[in-house]
Amino acid sequence: MGKLLEVRNLTKNYGKGTAAGKAVDAMNLDIAEQEFVIMMGASGSGKTSLLHLIAGIDDFDEGTIHYKNIDFGHMSEKSKTIFRRENIGIVFQQHFLIPDLTVYENIILPLILSGKMESGKEKDSVKHTILKLCGQCGLQEHIGKFPSQLSGGQQQRAAILRSVVNRPPLLLCDEPTGSLNSAQTDIVMKMLNILNKEGQTILLVTHDIKVAARGKRVIYIKDGRISEELRFDESHAGKMSSGKTSSGEIYRHREKELMDFLEQKGW
């Protein structure tokens, strides 16, 4: 797997004079293709700030952001918007679905905006893809409904599908399960794991240990810097796939390992 994202010496300042500080402080981060990276840290540590810089939502003061060999960080705002539309999916804690559009219309919207729905053949292919994705995450019976007719978990699943329907190389998730109950959280995380197994690279911010245990690597942010990271043993995932070990056992082991790691960091 090649390197997808390379962040070097990234710095975001805030305030002036005695109130000045760094939301992100000379940050270095590499993410490979098909990774599922979790970002954790105390409130105010710089997690969301870093995510917004990587997405091009906010501007940084120093450093570089490269997607493969493309200097994304120093593009014009117009170029960033076009690049983001094709290469970066974003999911927030709130789903931000358009209330007057159905689930299907919300999901297909990025393809319409990018001009990929011009021919009838393309429309048929896209419809097949969306129906397949909805089937994988339990939304096939709800594609004609409006967001107000869905549960919170169903709305978030629709928001995730909207973010990946374009097949962007990177999916950024900022507390995507923060407003969901445990059952809805489990469904959403199973969905993200399926997408990751199919090749989707994911960077996800969370405070939830059960959510973090679903990733492959956890990076801990403190005072705008990466303090340390934890990589889970991928051989466990192989045992899970072969049926030798249940997913519950694997995730419980990871949760304990992660808790020990976080306690050492002063969590």
Side-chain angles (χ1 to χ4, degrees):
M1 293 183 292
K3 187 186 297 183
L4 174 61
L5 175 69
E6 182 181 274
V7 172
R8 290 291 178 268
N9 299 312
L10 197 66
T11 300
K12 173 68 175 179
N13 300 312
Y14 64 85
K16 295 181 179 180
T18 56
K22 296 182 183 294
V24 176
D25 186 8
M27 179 81 74
N28 293 311
L29 173 65
D30 290 334
I31 295 179
E33 295 173 315
Q34 299 182 32
E35 271 204 286
F36 191 160
V37 181
I38 303 293
M39 192 153 49
M40 302 187 79
S43 296
S45 60
K47 305 182 300 300
T48 294
S49 295
L50 176 60
L51 209 69
H52 286 186
L53 295 178
I54 291 172
I57 296 172
D58 292 336
D59 294 325
F60 55 87
D61 295 294
E62 298 176 38
T64 59
I65 301 173
H66 281 85
Y67 284 93
K68 294 194 172 179
N69 296 318
I70 299 173
D71 186 355
F72 174 67
H74 293 99
M75 288 181 178
S76 67
E77 287 304 313
K78 182 178 180 180
S79 296
K80 276 186 181 179
T81 298
I82 295 171
F83 183 88
R84 181 168 51 238
R85 184 187 300 156
E86 298 293 325
N87 294 277
I88 306 171
I90 308 174
V91 180
F92 299 98
Q93 182 172 339
Q94 302 301 322
H95 54 79
F96 295 121
L97 296 173
I98 298 175
D100 295 332
L101 297 182
T102 64
V103 167
Y104 181 83
E105 291 166 340
N106 267 284
I107 294 171
I108 204 172
L109 186 60
L111 295 172
I112 294 174
L113 294 175
S114 61
K116 294 183 178 179
M117 298 293 295
E118 295 179 359
S119 71
K121 185 177 180 180
E122 287 172 332
K123 290 179 181 178
D124 290 341
S125 175
V126 166
K127 185 175 182 179
H128 174 76
T129 298
I130 291 176
L131 291 176
K132 179 183 176 182
L133 288 170
C134 286
Q136 288 176 336
C137 63
L139 288 178
Q140 66 271 30
E141 297 178 1
H142 306 288
I143 59 172
K145 294 181 180 179
F146 294 97
S148 61
Q149 297 173 296
L150 305 179
S151 69
Q154 290 166 342
Q155 291 173 352
Q156 193 63 298
R157 278 177 272 162
I160 291 171
L161 290 186
R162 179 183 58 187
S163 297
V164 300
V165 70
N166 236 358
R167 294 298 183 188
L170 181 63
L171 177 63
L172 302 176
C173 302
D174 190 5
E175 296 279 5
T177 62
S179 61
L180 305 181
N181 63 33
S182 59
Q184 293 171 337
T185 293
D186 187 56
I187 293 171
V188 167
M189 292 311 299
K190 284 179 179 177
M191 176 184 174
L192 290 175
N193 280 130
I194 289 171
L195 290 171
N196 179 242
K197 286 177 182 177
E198 293 177 347
Q200 179 66 62
T201 307
I202 302 172
L203 175 59
L204 184 149
V205 170
T206 186
H207 285 92
D208 190 328
I209 289 175
K210 290 185 179 296
V211 168
R214 298 293 190 108
K216 296 178 179 177
R217 173 164 62 117
V218 177
I219 57 176
Y220 188 81
I221 309 293
K222 182 178 181 180
D223 299 329
R225 288 176 172 266
I226 295 178
S227 173
E228 201 171 339
E229 68 173 50
L230 171 68
R231 288 182 182 270
F232 293 118
D233 186 349
E234 284 299 294
S235 66
H236 292 160
K239 292 177 182 178
M240 183 170 64
S241 298
S242 66
K244 295 179 180 179
T245 307
S246 71
S247 59
E249 289 177 290
I250 294 295
Y251 293 136
R252 282 192 293 273
H253 176 81
R254 286 185 175 186
E255 287 165 21
K256 184 180 184 305
E257 185 181 5
L258 179 56
M259 180 62 78
D260 292 341
F261 169 79
L262 293 173
E263 286 179 350
Q264 292 174 11
K265 306 308 297 179
W267 178 264

